[in-house]
Amino acid sequence: MYPINSFCGVFLFFCVLILSTVIRRRRERRLANPKNLPYPPGPKPLPILGNLFDLARDNEAATYYQLAEQFGDLFFLSVFGQNVLVVNSFQTANELFEKRSANYSDRGRSTMVHELMGWEWSFAHMRYGENWRAHRKIFHQQFQQSVAPTYWPLQIKEAHSLLRRLLRAPQDLTVHMRHTASSIVMSVIYGISIAPQNDPYVNMSEKALDGMTKAANPGAFLVDLVPLLLIYYSAWFPGAGFQRKAYEWKKACLEMRDAPFDYVHRALKSGRASSCFVTNAISNLDTKEPQPKSLDIIRQCAGVAYAAGAESTMSTLTTFILAIVTNPEVQVKAQKELDRVIGHRRLPEFSDRPSLPYINAIVKEVLRWNPVAPLGLPHMVTNDDEYKGYFIPAGTIVVGNSWRILHDPLLYQEPHKFNPDRFLNTAEGLQFSPVDPLSVSFGYGRRVCPGRYMAEAQVWISIACMLSVFDITPGTDINGEKMTFEPAFSSGMICHPLPFPYRIQARGEFATALIDQTEDIAA
């Protein structure tokens, strides 16, 4: 045990440290704002602590939605001198992230995420600059819109595998969705087929991504707001659990990045590797003997592709099931369209897409109704800026409030209702144009998700196939009565539906036969 006097002395030291940090940052802000412009509106800060208690640590979407209703298009928070700007309207997001993208494309450095958890290698978290551009170039070459169709055969295969798993064990929905999402990404990125259960690659990635979803939002850990705490915070001090958590998360993070890449690299040298993102990227290098730096860039691009793709696809497909359970009329309309266009003779294919506008609309509405990343990854302002008479200091963390934008009643009538009809006039394909508000479901400006075309294609084929052969209905209790519930979602950077009662069964003998036939094709 430590003496009381020692504990009080350490506590007093931290108070002085925080106070000095606040004073220094306020002095820097005054020097940078010669016009003495006001900051954007926001809740009134407390002395020293600022808006510490206004930062959401759970239920982020609802918390920032309420603040957006109170303060409008954007609101401003400051905690220990660190500024956070939350953007709540599509117009403002387009103005800052698109039209001023050179100044709003940077990332802040998170002590927890970068230094303690080891994510500094991820180009999604990199500072905006030449190193980021080198990573982005590799990613763009392999996942641009014109290349996306090359992945369709593999995506169809994984969609069929999902049908078989749901037919045989419909009660294991979460397991199947995670397996499908992980399987397609591992196949595309590394050419690796994962085990049906307890795959080591999947297990290590789940642990790494669990840490990321908990740590990525501003203010999730105090050490991000006062980085010097890392130097002076002893592991025994109350609240120092962040160090122990970070150690475990870092270990999983680096294993997720390195283990599958090393496997493929060894297979490539021995001539046993199959075509995939990693082998294609290495083959595209100018030299026969790749330099370590080039291999590191490919390794890191592959790791972030898996991290982003697996978790987001799982969330989106589970959200689709929840939406159908709570809106049975959507399923009826979708199955009528599928039966009219395809009938009961085969499963949907990508070539059917132009003839299935309602299925396209469902995909759009799933992305809108519950965006995978309600707040996305925060950007950072590179240089001081002025917007509508407000001063936005350099170094300000800028958060796109995607959930609020996609539930803006000025853009979407009855925004909390799941209604694919709203997209029927624009549902033929998804171009993700920056002028379309739905584009924010994949990020903002130059930091938009580069794998969005492949990801959306996997969601489309999976949804079309599931609706063609399954009836998805609410779960029932022991008396056979339909169970009622309110849709609910997890907190964190990646948002998942919380468990809900459902029932999945084949639409008839034709559906069972079609699903069984996919096993023969796969073999």
Side-chain angles (χ1 to χ4, degrees), residues 8 41 45 50 84 130 145 237 250 289 355 360 379 446 484:
C8 291
V84 178
E130 290 303 318
Q145 189 174 10
F237 198 76
K250 182 175 184 176
E289 190 63 34
S355 303
N360 297 335
H379 293 223
R446 299 181 186 180
T484 59

Side-chain angles (χ1 to χ4, degrees), residues 84 88 99 148 187 216 228 267 277-278 357 372 390 399 415 422 480 505:
V84 178
N88 308 304
K99 296 180 181 179
S187 296
L228 288 177
F277 169 88
V278 170
V372 169
Y390 296 120
V399 177
R422 71 176 84 247
Q505 58 183 357

Side-chain angles (χ1 to χ4, degrees), residues 142-154:
Q142 300 293 322
F143 293 110
Q144 59 186 302
Q145 189 174 10
S146 61
V147 176
T150 63
Y151 302 116
W152 287 356
L154 185 56

Side-chain angles (χ1 to χ4, degrees), residues 64-269:
Y64 292 141
Y65 185 89
Q66 293 300 321
L67 286 173
E69 291 292 290
Q70 183 179 355
F71 295 105
D73 289 357
L74 44 78
F75 61 83
F76 188 83
L77 306 172
S78 184
V79 182
F80 302 143
Q82 174 60 63
N83 304 315
V84 178
L85 181 69
V86 182
V87 178
N88 308 304
S89 76
F90 179 69
Q91 180 181 4
T92 302
N94 190 262
E95 177 67 35
L96 300 182
F97 295 124
E98 291 291 338
K99 296 180 181 179
R100 308 186 190 191
S101 58
N103 198 33
Y104 285 83
S105 297
D106 207 353
R107 297 280 197 223
R109 183 166 185 81
S110 164
T111 301
M112 186 68 179
V113 172
H114 291 86
E115 296 183 28
L116 295 178
M117 292 171 57
W119 283 89
E120 68 275 0
W121 57 268
S122 165
F123 90 90
H125 298 85
M126 283 180 185
R127 299 294 303 271
Y128 184 67
E130 290 303 318
N131 191 35
W132 175 82
R133 291 187 185 93
H135 286 73
R136 176 78 177 201
K137 180 180 178 181
I138 295 289
F139 220 102
H140 178 73
Q141 289 172 346
Q142 300 293 322
F143 293 110
Q144 59 186 302
Q145 189 174 10
S146 61
V147 176
T150 63
Y151 302 116
W152 287 356
L154 185 56
Q155 291 177 310
I156 290 174
K157 177 183 175 182
E158 293 300 335
H160 291 175
S161 175
L162 174 62
L163 299 184
R164 295 194 298 272
R165 294 168 67 85
L166 286 172
L167 179 66
R168 293 164 186 169
Q171 71 279 3
D172 296 328
L173 178 65
T174 301
V175 173
H176 300 329
M177 292 305 186
R178 185 173 295 282
H179 183 277
T180 294
S182 300
S183 182
I184 182 62
V185 177
M186 286 296 291
S187 296
V188 168
I189 303 300
Y190 300 106
I192 294 175
S193 297
I194 64 174
Q197 294 179 336
N198 295 320
D199 184 87
Y201 294 124
V202 175
N203 291 340
M204 72 176 69
S205 69
E206 283 185 24
K207 188 170 185 178
L209 294 173
D210 177 62
M212 172 54 61
T213 60
K214 288 181 169 63
N217 287 331
F221 287 89
L222 187 62
V223 71
D224 280 334
L225 302 173
V226 188
L228 288 177
L229 289 180
L230 179 61
I231 299 175
Y232 300 104
Y233 222 142
S234 300
W236 59 267
F237 198 76
F242 72 87
Q243 294 178 331
R244 294 186 289 272
K245 291 178 181 178
Y247 175 80
E248 294 298 325
W249 286 335
K250 182 175 184 176
K251 182 180 178 181
C253 166
L254 297 181
E255 286 179 348
M256 180 193 72
R257 180 196 66 181
D258 295 339
F261 179 88
D262 292 342
Y263 172 86
V264 177
H265 196 212
R266 290 193 300 269
L268 186 62
K269 287 184 174 180

Side-chain angles (χ1 to χ4, degrees), residues 189-404:
I189 303 300
Y190 300 106
I192 294 175
S193 297
I194 64 174
Q197 294 179 336
N198 295 320
D199 184 87
Y201 294 124
V202 175
N203 291 340
M204 72 176 69
S205 69
E206 283 185 24
K207 188 170 185 178
L209 294 173
D210 177 62
M212 172 54 61
T213 60
K214 288 181 169 63
N217 287 331
F221 287 89
L222 187 62
V223 71
D224 280 334
L225 302 173
V226 188
L228 288 177
L229 289 180
L230 179 61
I231 299 175
Y232 300 104
Y233 222 142
S234 300
W236 59 267
F237 198 76
F242 72 87
Q243 294 178 331
R244 294 186 289 272
K245 291 178 181 178
Y247 175 80
E248 294 298 325
W249 286 335
K250 182 175 184 176
K251 182 180 178 181
C253 166
L254 297 181
E255 286 179 348
M256 180 193 72
R257 180 196 66 181
D258 295 339
F261 179 88
D262 292 342
Y263 172 86
V264 177
H265 196 212
R266 290 193 300 269
L268 186 62
K269 287 184 174 180
S270 64
R272 296 180 292 105
S274 58
S275 177
C276 61
F277 169 88
V278 170
T279 57
N280 293 341
I282 293 176
S283 300
N284 287 341
L285 295 175
D286 295 333
T287 175
K288 292 184 179 180
E289 190 63 34
Q291 298 299 311
K293 182 178 179 181
S294 298
L295 290 178
D296 280 344
I297 291 176
I298 296 172
R299 177 198 303 268
Q300 289 161 188
C301 286
V304 79
Y306 179 81
E311 201 72 7
S312 60
T313 300
M314 175 196 172
S315 172
T316 304
L317 292 179
T318 309
T319 294
F320 159 73
I321 298 294
L322 173 61
I324 295 301
V325 167
T326 53
N327 299 273
E329 71 283 355
V330 172
Q331 178 173 248
V332 173
K333 189 170 182 177
Q335 289 176 341
K336 286 181 179 179
E337 181 179 78
L338 287 161
D339 293 347
R340 184 180 69 253
V341 173
I342 299 172
H344 295 169
R345 65 187 185 280
R346 63 175 176 84
L347 291 169
E349 300 171 354
F350 281 106
S351 59
D352 299 314
R353 188 163 190 175
S355 303
L356 297 170
Y358 194 67
I359 304 300
N360 297 335
I362 289 174
V363 173
K364 278 195 167 188
E365 183 67 345
V366 168
L367 295 173
R368 185 204 68 83
W369 187 57
N370 179 50
V372 169
L375 300 176
L377 274 175
H379 293 223
M380 188 179 74
V381 182
T382 304
N383 299 306
D384 295 335
D385 197 15
E386 179 183 340
Y387 179 69
K388 290 188 175 180
Y390 296 120
F391 177 62
I392 302 174
T396 296
I397 300 299
V398 187
V399 177
N401 193 347
S402 301
W403 203 92
R404 171 61 176 80

Side-chain angles (χ1 to χ4, degrees), residues 439-451:
S439 65
V440 308
S441 60
F442 286 96
Y444 300 87
R446 299 181 186 180
R447 307 302 293 240
V448 68
C449 173

